Amino acid sequence: MAGDDSLLEGNRAYAERGIGELPQLPRRGVVILTCMDHRIDPAAALGLELGDAMVLRNPGGRVTPSLINDLETLDQIARARRASLAELQLVLMQHTLCGANALTSTEPREGVHADIEALANEASIPDSLSVTGLVYDTETGRVGLVERRTPLRTQS
């Protein structure tokens, strides 16, 4: 595909349609972590438009030290815009038939539960952050709710 001008032609058509005015932070206050798998289009699967959500991707859509760093950076960016990470909803969306999860023998629902726990145990993540865990079925396109924690941690 090297040198394939169809990508540039596709961009020209996209830009000609116009993207409109986009907000500094996601319009719907959503940050999605999902797998880098080519079969997943989180915006299409969740009915989102350009500007509605921020999408982060990694192998398996898993909570990693790199993701924690990304969330800390996002919090700094949000604060510069008079908002905070705590005001956003984090959506963890893993999927069926995931090659990355096959390497760890972790089922997506188990991975979602484990990742929400990992976030809850991370001191740098705000207590009041809302986290929703989903699993996307790559065969049907349906998304199922695994767990929702609002807030992530209750203050004692």
Side-chain angles (χ1 to χ4, degrees):
M1 179 164 227
D4 184 355
D5 287 338
S6 69
L7 298 175
L8 295 174
E9 291 169 17
N11 176 256
R12 277 191 283 278
Y14 171 78
E16 286 173 7
R17 287 191 301 272
I19 59 172
E21 191 165 330
L22 297 173
Q24 293 281 329
L25 292 172
R27 184 179 302 113
R28 298 206 19 206
V30 176
V31 177
I32 300 169
L33 168 65
T34 194
C35 186
M36 56 202 269
D37 192 302
H38 65 282
R39 297 170 293 173
I40 301 171
D41 180 349
L46 299 173
L48 301 171
E49 299 292 329
L50 182 64
D52 284 349
M54 182 177 296
V55 178
L56 306 172
R57 291 179 178 261
N58 68 24
R62 299 303 306 268
V63 171
T64 63
S66 179
L67 173 78
I68 299 298
N69 186 49
D70 290 345
L71 293 175
E72 290 168 349
T73 301
L74 176 57
D75 190 38
Q76 292 173 3
I77 293 167
R79 288 178 189 281
R81 293 182 169 92
R82 294 192 165 90
S84 77
L85 179 62
E87 297 172 35
L88 301 174
Q89 176 186 4
L90 178 62
V91 175
L92 307 179
M93 188 165 79
Q94 294 184 24
H95 68 95
T96 60
L97 304 174
C98 180
N101 284 346
L103 296 174
T104 63
S105 301
T106 303
E107 292 298 318
R109 292 181 66 82
E110 294 170 21
V112 167
H113 287 300
D115 285 351
I116 291 175
E117 276 306 310
L119 287 168
N121 291 322
E122 178 58 47
S124 67
I125 303 299
D127 293 343
S128 59
L129 180 68
S130 174
V131 180
T132 300
L134 306 173
V135 171
Y136 174 81
D137 187 317
T138 56
E139 295 179 313
T140 67
R142 294 197 183 274
V143 173
L145 176 65
V146 176
E147 182 179 353
R148 179 174 289 131
R149 282 207 203 165
T150 306
L152 178 60
R153 291 182 292 273
T154 54
Q155 297 191 7
S156 34

